[in-house]
Amino acid sequence: MTTITPDDGNRGTHRTGREPRFSSGAGTPGTLTAVPHADQSQTTQKGASVTNPGPPRPVQVSAIFLAELAGQLGTAAPAETAEPVGVTGITHDSRAVRPGDVYAALSGARLHGADFATQAAGLGAVAVLTDPAGADRAAATGLPVLVVEDPRAEMGELAATIYGHPGRDMLQIGITGTSGKTTTAYLIEGGLRAAGRATGLVGTVETRIGDERIKSERTTPEATDLQALFAVMRERGTDAVAMEVSSHALVLGRVDGCVFDIAVFNNLSPEHMEFHSGMEDYFQAKASLFTPERSRLGVVNADDEYGRRLVTEAGVPVVTFSAEGHPDADWRAEDVQTGPMDSTFTALGPNGERVHARSPLPGPFNVANTLAALAALAAAGIDPQTAADGIAAVPGVPGRLERVDAGQPYLAVVDYAHKTDAVESVLKALRKVTKGRVHLVLGCGGDRDRTKRGPMGAAAARYADTAVLTSDNPRSEDPLAILATMLEGAASVPTHERGEVLLFEERAAAIAAAVGRAAAGDTVLVAGKGHEQGQDIAGVIRPFDDRQVLREAIQNTQG
């Protein structure tokens, strides 16, 4: 039975960090003297004119002459100034410029970064990197200008050079795939810590340098920010980093300048079709990580259709893993026991290893994530059992099947699942550990891939006893129009195969409705936003944390 209840080219988001300060000609003419300063970073609203926001920056940098960077670019060196120009940083955001920076003025959809070159010069930029279209505007500042056809394609390698190739001094493990990147990164970090490594983490939820947490603005930072971040990690003693690598990052050059020691491929399913021309384009973007220019060894899921293809097409050696226990995989799981909180299994390795493993998160897909982490860590030379013990000790991953307990007699969880395969997987996993009914809250984001909305609505209706369809981050779109498409998908499921379908435009009301239907032994799943703490409606981001709203809804039903 179905019930329907109405109801610019450079401008980035602000960050915080340390500012190195360098002076040219403080001693002998042509010398460069480091003058480190205390943290002077500020936080501003987007569009503010002068602040120096930005990512963490290293305190000590060995300056490099601009002429050397010009040589790396294969472009003419700018006209000599009275003294050689020393470079100590690089940024693509005019507001984040610090003295000694090269400002990378990129062409954008609406504006050109060269329009902000004057601002960059005022904040202390010593040169501008831009394309021919921005050359004249950049030159008008009086700064030396490096002109290349595609500055975005050059700034990653340039940033790596400026910061002294910091990634070379750390074990770097990059994780890509449609689902599971965040979870696998956290699990890998847990295994690294168990092995005594000083760790860094870069991903969707947060960036971590040891125990310091920095909010992430995107899955993979821009190349200029990423190399600065690596330099800070190196400076603070980090010797191993686990990092998510998105398809956007690979296509847009955000990981240029990185060569990962280990590259992990989890899976591939339709996603980001507003960015990619189709699944083949999406696959090729992911596959580019498994080339000698970007990695040294691949760890690939042999249970995934695209993973099996990648095994034959990768340009680097590959280690395979199979959570389904395929006998030809290098690492495979057997004796899998799934529970409501976790899963246990034995991992069989290529050299006869038998490792007792535990996934600290429930569901078969987390067995795959755990095995991926274990295989990657073993490939990095870490004792497999030590790695497995560290993975098992991970306390959880924010917004990934994260439990919300407020004394209720049923399971309540929040998950980031926001694509069809992920929604199906998490619902199937919860079904196995739920004695009663499964109640789902789900929305689709606006200004993103529209092709997945109908299939997500269908998956919600087919696999949940109650599917409460609602808003996610509608952004500039009409929330009701998004819901209409989801409802079409839900209505396509035969009546005898679908559960109750409810519509609520307001997400808080949708969560309250799901909680109101829950009884002892049931499960309430709020999916789509996971760790996010805001909701984007018509360009305004309002505070909204699914975990907090779910907890309050449960408490309200209890009296």
Side-chain angles (χ1 to χ4, degrees):
M1 174 180 175
T2 301
T3 304
I4 299 176
T5 305
D7 189 73
D8 69 55
N10 295 66
R11 295 293 188 169
T13 49
H14 58 72
R15 304 164 189 83
T16 59
R18 294 187 179 276
E19 295 187 53
R21 290 288 184 268
F22 291 81
S23 62
S24 178
T28 305
T31 63
L32 298 165
T33 305
V35 188
H37 281 223
D39 190 342
Q40 300 177 22
S41 59
Q42 302 178 43
T43 300
T44 65
Q45 296 298 318
K46 185 175 181 180
S49 58
V50 179
T51 52
N52 288 338
R57 294 274 196 111
V59 175
Q60 300 289 343
V61 180
S62 297
I64 186 168
F65 290 121
L66 184 62
E68 183 177 338
L69 299 179
Q72 177 176 318
L73 294 169
T75 189
E80 288 291 329
T81 56
E83 296 178 356
V85 176
V87 175
T88 56
I90 181 171
T91 182
H92 61 285
D93 186 344
S94 62
R95 299 163 301 170
V97 168
R98 289 102 186 274
D101 278 359
V102 169
Y103 169 54
L106 310 178
S107 176
R110 295 181 296 111
L111 299 170
H112 197 292
D115 294 327
F116 303 95
T118 299
Q119 179 187 39
L123 289 171
V126 295
V128 179
L129 170 70
T130 193
D131 56 20
D136 289 343
R137 281 169 284 178
T141 64
L143 294 176
V145 181
L146 300 171
V147 182
V148 295
E149 287 299 321
D150 185 0
R152 179 178 284 280
E154 303 287 354
M155 68 183 190
E157 293 287 353
L158 210 62
T161 297
I162 290 167
Y163 293 117
H165 297 278
R168 295 176 181 175
D169 298 319
M170 298 182 286
L171 168 66
Q172 293 180 294
I173 302 178
I175 306 100
T176 199
T178 303
S179 300
K181 294 188 296 296
T182 298
T183 297
T184 304
Y186 274 83
L187 299 181
I188 288 174
E189 190 207 27
L192 290 169
R193 288 194 171 203
R197 306 299 291 264
T199 62
L201 177 77
V202 183
T204 305
V205 177
E206 63 185 353
T207 293
R208 289 213 297 243
I209 306 173
D211 293 326
E212 180 186 353
R213 286 175 156 85
I214 304 166
K215 184 179 182 298
S216 294
E217 300 295 345
R218 54 170 58 92
T219 297
T220 310
E222 287 287 358
T224 54
D225 297 343
L226 181 61
Q227 294 299 325
L229 176 61
F230 285 163
V232 173
M233 288 182 176
R234 178 180 61 185
E235 192 171 72
R236 298 186 189 178
T238 298
D239 61 19
V241 60
M243 175 178 161
E244 298 179 53
V245 183
S246 67
S247 61
H248 288 69
L250 291 161
V251 172
L252 298 175
R254 293 176 187 162
V255 291
D256 287 357
C258 300
V259 180
F260 293 93
D261 298 286
I262 310 290
V264 180
F265 178 88
N266 281 340
N267 48 64
L268 201 72
S269 61
E271 173 72 339
H272 303 308
M273 290 300 107
E274 82 287 353
F275 181 76
H276 297 287
S277 61
M279 285 301 293
E280 180 62 22
D281 183 57
Y282 188 25
F283 171 73
Q284 292 299 335
K286 297 289 192 184
S288 70
L289 180 60
F290 299 83
T291 59
E293 295 77 20
R294 284 180 164 158
S295 66
R296 297 184 175 89
L297 177 71
V299 173
V300 177
N301 184 0
D303 296 330
D304 182 82
E305 173 188 357
Y306 286 96
R308 291 190 293 274
R309 178 179 167 187
L310 184 59
V311 169
T312 65
E313 297 182 12
V316 296
V318 167
V319 172
T320 57
F321 66 92
S322 170
E324 297 174 5
H326 195 285
D328 292 336
D330 296 305
W331 284 92
R332 55 197 186 277
E334 69 172 24
D335 301 326
V336 178
Q337 302 293 321
T338 59
M341 297 290 294
D342 59 8
S343 298
T344 60
F345 62 96
T346 300
L348 306 181
N351 299 311
E353 299 96 338
R354 293 186 63 87
V355 180
H356 300 291
R358 170 181 167 268
S359 169
L361 295 142
F365 54 93
N366 280 315
V367 172
N369 292 335
T370 299
L371 190 59
L374 177 58
L377 291 163
I382 293 172
D383 173 71
Q385 190 60 62
T386 299
D389 293 344
I391 291 169
V394 172
V397 180
R400 273 62 178 176
L401 283 175
E402 185 174 351
R403 290 184 60 139
V404 173
D405 291 316
Q408 77 276 10
Y410 53 85
L411 177 65
V413 293
V414 169
D415 193 76
Y416 192 52
H418 59 282
K419 63 211 70 161
T420 307
D421 285 1
V423 170
E424 289 183 7
S425 294
V426 72
L427 285 171
K428 288 178 180 178
L430 291 173
R431 175 72 67 191
K432 291 181 179 180
V433 298
T434 301
K435 295 180 181 179
R437 293 162 58 83
V438 176
H439 311 281
L440 168 69
V441 177
L442 181 69
C444 288
D447 301 334
R448 297 294 186 269
D449 184 4
R450 301 185 180 200
T451 64
K452 69 180 183 180
R453 296 172 183 174
M456 283 179 64
R462 177 173 280 113
Y463 296 107
D465 295 295
T466 307
V468 187
L469 307 183
T470 188
S471 297
D472 187 281
N473 291 305
R475 301 182 176 89
S476 70
E477 290 194 61
D478 180 354
L480 293 178
I482 298 173
L483 280 171
T485 306
M486 294 185 71
L487 182 59
E488 288 178 5
S492 70
V493 179
T495 304
H496 67 281
E497 294 181 15
R498 70 174 179 244
E500 182 181 25
V501 177
L502 310 176
L503 296 183
F504 286 87
E505 181 180 356
E506 295 291 334
R507 190 172 181 88
I511 292 172
V515 167
R517 283 163 171 73
D522 287 359
T523 292
V524 173
L525 167 64
V526 180
K529 288 171 57 59
H531 64 282
E532 294 177 0
Q533 297 180 40
Q535 188 177 28
D536 188 338
I537 302 175
V540 178
I541 299 178
R542 299 169 171 83
F544 198 103
D545 187 327
D546 279 352
R547 297 162 295 188
Q548 177 183 341
V549 175
L550 177 56
R551 182 180 301 279
E552 291 172 354
I554 294 169
Q555 292 170 339
N556 288 339
T557 63
Q558 294 177 334

